[in-house]
Amino acid sequence: GQAAERAWSRGANRACGTPWLRLWRWYEAQRTLPAPVEAPEAPADEQATARQRVEHAVRAVGDAAATGLPVAWGQAVREAAARGADGLPEALDELALDSTVPDTGGSRITGGPYGGGGRPPRPGWWPVAVLVQVSMTVLQVLGALWLVGQIVGVVPPNLGVPALMMLTGIVGGPCVEWSCRMAAKGPARRYGHEAERRLRDAAAACGRARVLDPVAAELLRYREVREQYVRVAGLSTTGR
């Protein structure tokens, strides 16, 4: 979720930044070859801790489901939960990798739930901000050309207007970029929370399919056998 939030903010900064800054970033990107992006490996102790937490959670589920059952059926329920725990951490890791894609900034952002190759969606005000930034750049260029024309004697001397145009463009560009950065914080946070929620839902579905459904199947078998036993016991009592 935090990686998705950072990716959304980074995309907003790139889209709403000044054209000169964007040109400089493009030049830097062309000059330096991007390093291959790999998913960061968690330390061994963190992996072991995560695996222990998963196993502990599965044991807790099995013990809770087996409460009140006969010993044999309780053991069957616990074994069903334990079988689901085998490979569950690896399945969760694979699910996380399949649900994320690397972005250009080196982070990994949720891609599966949103589509579009993992690109964060753009709000409607981004094109307006880009248009304003282009206008600020046009003012700078026109002011500079006007001053050059005055220097070479093509345009009548008038320093006030071109200087004001250049100053407006120079000051207005960073102001627009700062405003967009502030406005992007809320949507970026919501995007990160939504990405995290969808990944949590996918992980919960994986745990449900591997652990809860087999446990529920064993409980259903116990219920059916118990009903059959009660029925047969009732018939035997009636026969006597």
Side-chain angles (χ1 to χ4, degrees):
Q2 293 175 355
E5 180 178 347
R6 287 192 299 268
W8 203 100
S9 300
R10 189 180 298 111
N13 294 336
R14 283 198 298 261
C16 304
T18 60
W20 306 120
L21 182 58
R22 296 172 63 184
L23 183 62
W24 172 256
R25 289 172 179 170
W26 176 83
Y27 171 74
E28 289 292 329
Q30 295 297 323
R31 191 177 64 174
T32 59
L33 295 177
V37 179
E38 298 180 356
E41 292 290 339
D45 55 345
E46 292 185 6
Q47 292 182 352
T49 302
R51 182 179 297 274
Q52 291 174 1
R53 290 176 61 187
V54 172
E55 294 175 352
H56 175 74
V58 172
R59 284 197 302 269
V61 169
D63 292 340
T67 302
L69 297 180
V71 176
W73 281 104
Q75 183 63 27
V77 169
R78 293 187 180 92
E79 290 177 355
R83 285 193 300 269
D86 292 337
L88 180 58
E90 291 79 7
L92 294 175
D93 290 340
E94 183 179 357
L95 175 66
L97 291 177
D98 291 342
S99 300
T100 57
V101 294
D103 75 330
T104 55
S107 302
R108 299 183 68 83
I109 61 177
T110 302
Y114 293 95
R119 248 177 228 282
R122 295 189 173 188
W125 53 265
W126 278 19
V128 178
V130 174
L131 180 61
V132 174
Q133 284 288 19
V134 172
S135 302
M136 296 296 103
T137 305
V138 170
L139 285 177
Q140 298 179 47
V141 174
L142 289 179
L145 292 177
W146 197 338
L147 289 177
V148 172
Q150 294 181 27
I151 293 174
V152 299
V154 179
V155 181
N158 184 3
L159 296 177
V161 177
L164 181 60
M165 292 173 60
M166 291 188 62
L167 182 62
T168 302
I170 293 173
V171 176
C175 289
V176 173
E177 183 177 359
W178 179 83
S179 301
C180 294
R181 186 179 293 111
M182 294 297 104
K185 286 186 176 180
R189 190 177 300 110
R190 289 193 296 270
Y191 176 77
H193 290 169
E194 180 67 13
E196 184 175 352
R197 183 190 65 80
R198 290 181 181 245
L199 188 56
R200 286 181 181 273
D201 291 345
C206 179
R208 185 182 306 112
R210 285 179 168 266
V211 178
L212 297 185
D213 289 349
V215 169
E218 288 295 330
L219 294 177
L220 181 60
R221 286 179 54 198
Y222 168 73
R223 180 179 178 181
E224 292 175 349
V225 171
R226 182 178 179 181
E227 291 177 352
Q228 293 290 337
Y229 174 78
V230 171
R231 186 179 298 110
V232 171
L235 292 177
S236 300
T237 303
T238 304
R240 292 196 185 95

